[in-house]
Amino acid sequence: MKESWSAFDTFEPHFRPLVIIELAKDTKEETKEWLTQRIVDKKKKEGAQLLVKPLVKEDGGKIDGNQNLYLVGASHLRLLLGAETVGLVKECNDNSMRTFTYSSRNTFKDFAEDNHDFLTMAERQYIIKHELENLRAKDERMIPGYPQAKLYPGKSIMRRLMTSGILLQIFPLHDTEELKKLWYTWCGQVKISYQPLDEIRCYFGETIALYFGFLEYFTFALVPMALIGIPYYVFAWEDYDKYVMFASFNLLWSTVILEVWKRCCAIMTYRWGTLLMKRQFEEPRPGFHGVLGINPVTGKEEPVYSSIKRQIRIYLVSLPFVCLCLYFSLYVMMIYFELETWALDFHEENESYFSKLMLFLPSIIYAIVIEMMNRVYRYAAEFLTSWENHRLESSHQNHLILKVLVFNFLNCFASLFYIAFVLFDMKLLRQSLATLLITSQILNQFVEALLPYWLQKRHNKKVKKRVYSIKVDTDLSLFEQVNLEKEMGTYLGTFDDYLELFLQFGYVSLFSCVVFKRPFSQPTANIGVWQLAFETMSVISVVTNCALIGLSPQVNALFPDSKTDLILIVVLAEHILLALKFVMAFVIPDKPRDIQIKLARLEFESLEALKQQQMKLAAESLKEETHGEKKMN
Amino acid sequence: MKESWSAFDTFEPHFRPLVIIELAKDTKEETKEWLTQRIVDKKKKEGAQLLVKPLVKEDGGKIDGNQNLYLVGASHLRLLLGAETVGLVKECNDNSMRTFTYSSRNTFKDFAEDNHDFLTMAERQYIIKHELENLRAKDERMIPGYPQAKLYPGKSIMRRLMTSGILLQIFPLHDTEELKKLWYTWCGQVKISYQPLDEIRCYFGETIALYFGFLEYFTFALVPMALIGIPYYVFAWEDYDKYVMFASFNLLWSTVILEVWKRCCAIMTYRWGTLLMKRQFEEPRPGFHGVLGINPVTGKEEPVYSSIKRQIRIYLVSLPFVCLCLYFSLYVMMIYFELETWALDFHEENESYFSKLMLFLPSIIYAIVIEMMNRVYRYAAEFLTSWENHRLESSHQNHLILKVLVFNFLNCFASLFYIAFVLFDMKLLRQSLATLLITSQILNQFVEALLPYWLQKRHNKKVKKRVYSIKVDTDLSLFEQVNLEKEMGTYLGTFDDYLELFLQFGYVSLFSCVVFKRPFSQPTANIGVWQLAFETMSVISVVTNCALIGLSPQVNALFPDSKTDLILIVVLAEHILLALKFVMAFVIPDKPRDIQIKLARLEFESLEALKQQQMKLAAESLKEETHGEKKMN
């Protein structure tokens, strides 16, 4: 009975597919059999105990070109046990958040044995991904059929398959119905004020929901600035004191915004359960390589790479390279200014409609060159970061973000700095700002949203044609869908979206991720290194704004005699503002009081449970050893 | 047999006393009986299961005036179980640090059933203090004999006795032999290079050991600065570039020092086990009052005080008061400068030996006034902080430290700032610096070390006389010792010592804590808010040093034409230095790699254990529910 259970499930044709595995076309049969068997095998036999079946057409026959696609799912019970393994945190009947355990399942809100929506789609897919990635080699020394693809006990099978080129991709399936519903609540309604963050989180997971949450929060947080700015434009206030007040308000407000975001973030992630989720031990990222050694943390065999070697690569290769690129970028900027001067001279010498157009040419060329350099540099940064061979995905990401951020920052803002503080040309500053912003916005929208959308459309037609040409059928939807999605681009995380938001502080392509393959959910409790980036930006903005105020003619008019006094006062104001920012960041708690209390309560309860357990043990020990103690005295 | 065990231990006269309880002289007999019974009672009956006896003379008769002193101790076994309760972390045989549990006691280094030194003196006394403080009311509604001293289930008995004035003090006993040994290793040896931090920690606990560790570290960390400074004085280098290099080195070095201290601190506290110790739930501090309500964290009855009321008290009373004091302090400073001018005028008008002495008078008066103001303000700050009614001892301490720190900082440095940046008088700056430092140093040494030492000596003689007059005996040492120590002042924590170190960056009264009552050990993993204070100080020092360099005649000589350029360059240099400091603080990891790995290893092991447990449960659940699942499908 026990033995037949998993076999029975394997050929169960009606389970709901959640994740797709695509193998290479020339994968050997024995490998496929071994892999599916390992996925289906029970936990006792160190399998993943999931359900799997090849993608087939309705009439049951395999299609030649597509026998490499497998649908993976799991029984409801298996998913619940998986939720316990990954440490999901769900809401209880008493409105507190607790780590889900199967034995206490009935105390959780909305739990019912037949409620298959207790876990969100994103969570179910995350569980399956986690179980697949944690499918580990037992005594196999290699992947069957591929003697060169070595395995060692405890090595993740999926990662080895991936690095050996046998496994092409694993991706979660879009759910067209849910997606339609999500689309409707998102933008089908008239009001566009609030985004359905909870629904987004259910479908795409926490990382993407947090991104949209941040986007929405940021948009609303900027409203007070805009409102206060209105009278300045309407009444054309140009008084020194009002001007300074507005600027000071903005600078302090940006700190308040970022601190309050941490609180909002804590509230959201508490409700979603990720704030309480224990961090799992991180596996090496797929690209990580090294000689086989002993991991000092786990004590298990895994590739090991010397930290000193990595440090040398970072500080002696990557750092100089980045500096060189920054220098080159500044060099290009200087050329731009020469072009600008040349265009101005040309316009002055022979004024015409053409020469007027020519005035804008340098800025446009510069914007395009910047975009190109950004893209080239991005590839170089990705290559270098891979070459630095970071063990953890998170540290890889942080180093990549740092590299790209510094370069993007310099590229986008260096020319503005130069214009403002070296040329002192406020008119040119305004003009450049407008040109740069508009050009890069248009370019980005085109490259990131319209282009892939258009390519996808064309491709969809092709695939549809191909599919129809094989067999004209009305109910090929799943088969068709999988084949469509496997060709879609992979959404590479929220990196570019945050970067755009970071660089433009504006509105970005809202729905770009829909024409991408559905991304796996990644439980996160905050926006990570981006919080730091935005905070750094807000500190730098104090310095630049104080300098700009110091340069403004109105303020200069107040100190007709002494430039020195002016500078000293501006520097003093800047220091006070910076000090205020740090005090505010320190005084505003990162988590609201009720979340703090809830967290403390949870910690207290687990400590109490431990103490109760220990006291029981202690009482028993005391009883047992009384006699011995007595003899000793 | 079980019943008689605790009774037997109670009257066991030969246990080693660790902690002394002093009750008020007029405490009723029934209260004393009830209290000793509760302390002796077994865990099962919600007692503390400790050993207790009244302090008696050798011949067994009580002495009239002293029947209120009780010696508290515990059996070796009881202490080990207590170590488990408080979550002590000790070293294992495999050199890793693990939370001590009684059942795994044999895996710990140096553990043997008869090795009574397995726990350090400080740990044993901490355990007894913890057990006494956690002695809670059962069904008593009041303290027997004192109907006005209300109790409620779960209320700490010791805290109620303390607030009712029945319990005068609880303090750990000095161990004269150990103290002599410690004294010898500390300063009996010729080399004074290294302090015996491990021995200090064993005797006084982690807080005090960390203070001396910080003191030692700081002294050695300043050596490179002194060494690099030597050639500047020897060769009288006054070049602009060398000067700036030295200053820049110092400013960055101070950041390195503070970051590396965090690492040293992590290494020490890892070895001592406090880095890994789980934070226990903090009880309200003894002085906390409020109406009886439900604590939202524990769900138990305890006094509750509205957070909003506290905020109002902090921001509407304490903050204005502190600002007023700061203003007053500045006002006094202005008077000092008027006095200084007056003395100078007086000296110029009628030059004499007397008038020369008069020149130093204002500085000396000012230093004395500052000291007096400091002391008065300190009382006010303590009163205000108590009145703010913080629930936790830690938050009470932080608010007190903040108040005192700001005032001390202004008091000690405002006049120097004024002289440097308003009067531009470098000669007066040097003179004031020297006078202030030396005066406050002498005053502090006198008030904090010599005065109490002298008072103690006189008092000791009196007590000895009194004791001898009652009965001349050679073996009254314990009786005598307890009576001596109960009159000693209480060492109020490392607050003043850190404050002195903070303000003077110099060497402080090393052995002041020996003439104090022995303090209870408090396990700590870092120097807390002081790290922040020193870091803030190091940021401020960048600003002041850059400004001083900008004011120096050598640097001014380099920019004969344009003050503006000079200021801009100084400001630029300052910003670069500040940015470098932040980058360095960010890049240098707070914990050394091997400590990070050890911590990660521990976390990994506990996660693995959890997973194993869950997988077992999951396998069982799957087995059990297979039939049900099958039917559902």
Side-chain angles (χ1 to χ4, degrees), chain A residues 96 179 195 499:
Chain A
S96 65
L179 193 61
Q195 293 169 48
L499 187 64

Side-chain angles (χ1 to χ4, degrees), chain B residues 234-248:
Chain B
V234 173
F235 304 117
W237 287 346
E238 295 234 330
D239 312 343
Y240 167 64
D241 47 350
K242 279 176 191 152
Y243 192 41
V244 167
M245 262 176 59
F246 182 48
S248 305

Side-chain angles (χ1 to χ4, degrees), chain B residues 103-353:
Chain B
S103 53
S104 65
R105 62 192 180 281
N106 286 312
T107 61
F108 286 86
K109 208 172 184 172
D110 296 329
F111 182 86
E113 295 292 351
D114 56 348
N115 176 11
H116 289 223
D117 288 332
F118 174 69
L119 298 173
T120 69
M121 270 290 270
E123 282 167 349
R124 275 175 270 168
Q125 289 171 335
Y126 175 69
I127 289 166
I128 292 201
K129 179 188 168 221
H130 180 266
E131 293 293 341
L132 285 177
E133 280 183 349
N134 274 280
L135 190 60
R136 287 165 195 290
K138 290 189 290 187
D139 40 10
E140 300 101 330
R141 304 306 301 179
M142 47 153 222
I143 289 170
Y146 295 87
Q148 80 284 4
K150 294 270 184 295
L151 286 175
Y152 48 88
K155 169 73 187 175
S156 164
I157 287 172
M158 289 296 165
R159 298 205 167 194
R160 172 56 76 231
L161 284 171
M162 188 78 89
T163 50
S164 306
I166 303 164
L167 176 67
L168 297 183
Q169 55 180 351
I170 306 182
F171 61 91
L173 209 56
H174 268 301
D175 181 321
T176 39
E177 237 171 89
E178 292 277 328
L179 193 60
K180 255 182 224 158
K181 253 194 265 175
L182 179 62
W183 181 278
Y184 178 74
T185 52
W186 212 339
C187 49
Q189 291 163 319
V190 181
K191 55 145 192 152
I192 51 156
S193 53
Y194 289 106
Q195 294 171 49
L197 293 182
D198 288 330
E199 281 85 1
I200 297 175
R201 177 239 163 189
C202 287
Y203 193 83
F204 285 114
E206 286 79 17
T207 311
I208 291 181
L210 265 188
Y211 166 69
F212 283 109
F214 185 62
L215 191 67
E216 179 182 302
Y217 171 81
F218 214 74
T219 314
F220 283 105
L222 294 178
V223 168
M225 286 191 189
L227 284 182
I228 292 178
I230 290 174
Y232 283 85
Y233 290 101
V234 173
F235 304 117
W237 287 346
E238 295 234 330
D239 312 343
Y240 167 64
D241 47 350
K242 279 176 191 152
Y243 192 41
V244 167
M245 262 176 59
F246 182 48
S248 305
F249 168 78
N250 278 358
L251 295 175
L252 295 179
W253 183 244
S254 69
T255 301
V256 174
I257 286 178
L258 290 170
E259 289 301 312
V260 173
W261 162 250
K262 283 188 205 160
R263 297 164 68 93
C264 292
C265 191
I267 294 173
M268 273 197 282
T269 52
Y270 175 79
R271 205 177 56 224
W272 295 342
T274 47
L275 187 66
L276 294 172
M277 216 165 146
K278 289 272 182 309
R279 203 171 54 82
Q280 303 264 331
F281 177 76
E282 254 186 289
E283 292 283 315
R285 54 186 293 273
F288 178 70
H289 56 85
V291 289
L292 218 59
I294 300 293
N295 180 311
V297 176
T298 60
K300 287 180 190 159
E301 252 190 328
E302 79 166 38
V304 169
Y305 188 75
S306 145
S307 157
I308 294 159
K309 268 193 204 167
R310 187 179 304 122
Q311 300 283 333
I312 288 174
R313 287 185 174 188
I314 292 175
Y315 290 109
L316 295 188
V317 180
S318 295
L319 190 65
F321 175 79
V322 170
C323 291
L324 206 76
C325 285
L326 296 180
Y327 176 78
F328 181 70
S329 166
L330 286 177
Y331 192 77
V332 168
M333 191 187 80
M334 298 314 294
I335 293 176
Y336 158 64
F337 283 112
E338 269 173 37
L339 268 180
E340 190 83 49
T341 326
W342 175 83
L344 212 67
D345 290 347
F346 182 81
H347 176 65
E348 267 165 25
E349 274 167 31
N350 32 2
E351 216 174 318
S352 70
Y353 184 71

